[in-house]
Amino acid sequence: MEKEISKAVISRLPRYYRYLGELMEDGVERISSNELSQKMKVTASQIRQDLNNFGGFGQQGYGYNVKYLHTEIAKILGIDRQHNLIIIGAGNLGQALANYANFKKHGFVIKGMFDINPRLIGLVVRGVEIRGVDDLEKFIVENEVQMAALTIPKTKAPEIADRLVKAGIKAIWNFAHVDLVVPDDVVVENVHLSESLMRLSYRASSLQDQKKKEEKKKR
Amino acid sequence: MEKEISKAVISRLPRYYRYLGELMEDGVERISSNELSQKMKVTASQIRQDLNNFGGFGQQGYGYNVKYLHTEIAKILGIDRQHNLIIIGAGNLGQALANYANFKKHGFVIKGMFDINPRLIGLVVRGVEIRGVDDLEKFIVENEVQMAALTIPKTKAPEIADRLVKAGIKAIWNFAHVDLVVPDDVVVENVHLSESLMRLSYRASSLQDQKKKEEKKKR
């Protein structure tokens, strides 16, 4: 697929992918943009525009071929192939990721887990042994690891990220509350949980303020 | 503060808040937009525009008052007051949230944890007892809980969300991989981890594709 697809569309793709996957599980073979619109609470015209990027929709009156679209979106997202992943930090969050069975379904295979806590090293989570970080680089090369999730404190994250990059990791899923500095050919996706919680707090507070204002007006 | 602040600015506020907090920890009292720009890898003009929303910056040559800005941003984000939070789902992810000491620092107090797994009920995490969900509504009212984190499977999430809303919860931090349907006066902030991982996969894949193209051109 050679056509450029906009950032906004890309950011919506995982959600389409999820709904199409659920439809497939329910045995649905095709769906109209109106039906999909009702399910996803997005306008039908937005759906048509977004999915136009993929060409593969049926004629008027047929609707979308669910499996075809699901496959095409998977290709775009790069989840039609296997990604070898390691998790650095085997605390609760790291273990939560390791236990997330869905990842494997989407081609993300957890090859190893690492920690510096001697009490965790040697434990096995979902068939994956927790190792110390001494042989991190060797492990990455031998197991053709492309991605790493960082679930360690922010004080340790930059140093580990440097080691990962030098060992050839091209994608870092960063849960540490710090902005990592990496070369241009490495991508970082941040999940900053406390920032997400602050956005929730902001939205809840501003909704309350709005309500108070409206109540004042009514009096 | 009566002035409307744009969504884009709001989404950047938690990051400013984090950097200003770190500066305070380092004993920095004021900082110029150029210095902040270098630290945050954002242009100085973006910083000036964003922070103009808060009025409180010093004269030319003085720079920003770190503590003042930090306080003002906290007010906007609604984290200058206490938020009572419960966590539904005491598995690895729920426990990871409970162990996140930073939340308390920002005014988020975890009042209770809930699960349906009898092996977890009665355990204590960071001083908070894990309870069954039978008395969920009563607990919410008695403890003036305003926010709930949902770290349960997507099949259970809609039913629990309904109960939360009926009991008066106005803000849901949703980690379940499903879109919740809630009334207009309730806000939901989604953290869909597998969608985040797909975005990482997309960005890594498209960077690779780009590189291959460039190498082809060079030949």
Side-chain angles (χ1 to χ4, degrees):
Chain A
M1 191 153 306
E2 286 296 313
K3 205 173 142 198
E4 279 284 338
I5 295 168
S6 83
K7 257 195 179 171
V9 178
I10 296 295
S11 73
R12 288 192 288 269
L13 286 187
R15 194 159 173 262
Y16 283 114
Y17 183 77
R18 166 155 58 96
Y19 275 87
L20 292 165
E22 285 171 4
L23 287 167
M24 277 169 68
E25 275 171 25
D26 294 343
V28 177
E29 290 179 8
R30 56 185 195 175
I31 191 165
S32 70
S33 49
N34 283 329
E35 284 169 299
L36 195 55
S37 156
Q38 276 163 26
K39 261 186 124 53
M40 293 186 67
K41 321 253 179 223
V42 180
T43 65
S45 94
Q46 161 120 82
I47 289 181
R48 279 190 293 265
Q49 273 177 38
D50 283 352
L51 299 187
N52 266 358
N53 287 292
F54 304 97
F57 41 83
Q59 320 69 333
Q60 187 86 29
Y62 175 83
Y64 297 102
N65 181 320
V66 172
K67 197 179 168 189
Y68 174 85
L69 262 184
H70 192 257
T71 309
E72 287 302 306
I73 292 178
K75 279 186 207 164
I76 298 283
L77 290 173
I79 51 177
D80 56 332
R81 56 205 101 162
Q82 181 176 323
H83 296 280
N84 294 338
L85 184 78
I86 53 174
I87 298 172
I88 322 270
N92 281 313
L93 187 54
Q95 294 197 23
L97 297 183
N99 277 310
Y100 213 172
N102 252 352
F103 290 161
K104 201 167 180 179
K105 206 174 90 184
H106 300 315
F108 300 98
V109 178
I110 296 166
K111 286 283 179 177
M113 289 184 79
F114 295 85
D115 208 289
I116 52 167
N117 185 343
R119 281 188 302 172
L120 291 174
I121 295 169
L123 291 182
V124 176
V125 179
R126 284 240 169 190
V128 177
E129 193 192 331
I130 302 174
R131 295 157 196 273
V133 292
D134 289 350
D135 294 327
L136 184 58
E137 288 82 356
K138 201 176 149 211
F139 187 92
I140 289 172
V141 174
E142 283 180 0
N143 291 276
E144 299 181 357
V145 177
Q146 301 104 20
M147 291 185 159
L150 276 191
T151 56
I152 54 179
K154 67 176 181 179
T155 47
K156 312 273 182 196
E159 183 204 322
I160 290 284
D162 283 347
R163 287 179 60 184
L164 292 172
V165 168
K166 277 185 195 134
I169 292 283
K170 293 296 178 201
I172 298 177
W173 199 21
N174 178 40
F175 290 78
H177 204 195
V178 62
D179 297 316
L180 301 174
V181 180
V182 297
D184 282 346
D185 64 338
V186 177
V187 291
V188 176
E189 176 85 16
N190 290 311
V191 183
H192 289 165
L193 291 177
S194 58
E195 298 192 4
S196 165
L197 187 53
M198 285 178 192
R199 278 192 294 273
L200 180 63
S201 155
Y202 166 75
R203 291 170 55 205
S205 310
S206 60
L207 205 67
Q208 273 177 353
D209 292 350
Q210 204 186 310
K211 229 175 140 187
K212 275 183 204 156
K213 268 188 209 163
E214 279 166 17
E215 276 163 16
K216 259 189 194 167
K217 268 190 199 162
K218 277 183 197 156
R219 274 177 222 156
Chain B
M1 190 152 306
E2 285 295 315
K3 203 173 144 201
E4 279 284 338
I5 295 169
S6 82
K7 257 193 181 173
V9 178
I10 296 296
S11 73
R12 288 191 288 268
L13 287 187
R15 192 158 174 263
Y16 283 115
Y17 183 78
R18 168 155 57 95
Y19 275 88
L20 292 165
E22 285 170 5
L23 287 167
M24 278 169 68
E25 277 171 25
D26 294 343
V28 177
E29 290 180 10
R30 58 185 192 174
I31 190 166
S32 70
S33 50
N34 283 330
E35 285 168 298
L36 196 55
S37 157
Q38 274 161 28
K39 260 186 125 53
M40 292 185 68
K41 321 254 178 221
V42 180
T43 65
S45 95
Q46 163 121 78
I47 290 180
R48 279 189 293 267
Q49 273 178 37
D50 283 353
L51 299 187
N52 266 359
N53 287 291
F54 304 97
F57 41 82
Q59 320 71 328
Q60 189 85 32
Y62 175 83
Y64 298 101
N65 181 319
V66 172
K67 197 179 169 189
Y68 174 84
L69 262 184
H70 192 257
T71 309
E72 286 304 304
I73 292 178
K75 279 186 206 164
I76 297 282
L77 289 173
I79 52 177
D80 55 332
R81 55 204 101 160
Q82 181 176 322
H83 295 280
N84 293 337
L85 183 78
I86 52 174
I87 298 172
I88 321 272
N92 281 313
L93 187 55
Q95 294 197 24
L97 297 183
N99 277 311
Y100 214 172
N102 252 354
F103 290 160
K104 200 166 181 180
K105 206 174 87 183
H106 298 138
F108 300 98
V109 178
I110 296 167
K111 285 284 180 176
M113 289 184 78
F114 294 84
D115 208 290
I116 53 167
N117 184 344
R119 281 188 302 173
L120 292 174
I121 295 168
L123 292 183
V124 176
V125 179
R126 284 241 169 191
V128 177
E129 193 193 330
I130 302 174
R131 296 157 195 274
V133 292
D134 289 351
D135 294 327
L136 184 57
E137 286 82 357
K138 202 177 149 209
F139 186 93
I140 289 171
V141 174
E142 283 178 1
N143 292 276
E144 300 182 357
V145 177
Q146 301 104 20
M147 290 186 161
L150 275 191
T151 56
I152 53 178
K154 67 175 180 178
T155 47
K156 311 274 182 197
E159 183 204 322
I160 290 285
D162 283 348
R163 286 178 60 184
L164 292 172
V165 168
K166 278 187 194 132
I169 292 284
K170 293 296 178 203
I172 297 176
W173 199 20
N174 178 39
F175 290 78
H177 203 196
V178 62
D179 298 315
L180 300 174
V181 180
V182 297
D184 282 347
D185 65 339
V186 176
V187 291
V188 177
E189 176 84 15
N190 290 311
V191 183
H192 289 166
L193 292 178
S194 58
E195 298 191 5
S196 166
L197 187 53
M198 285 180 196
R199 276 192 294 272
L200 179 63
S201 155
Y202 166 77
R203 290 170 55 206
S205 310
S206 60
L207 205 66
Q208 273 177 353
D209 293 348
Q210 204 186 307
K211 228 174 141 186
K212 275 183 203 157
K213 267 188 212 165
E214 280 166 15
E215 276 164 16
K216 259 191 197 167
K217 269 188 202 163
K218 276 183 201 157
R219 274 177 223 157

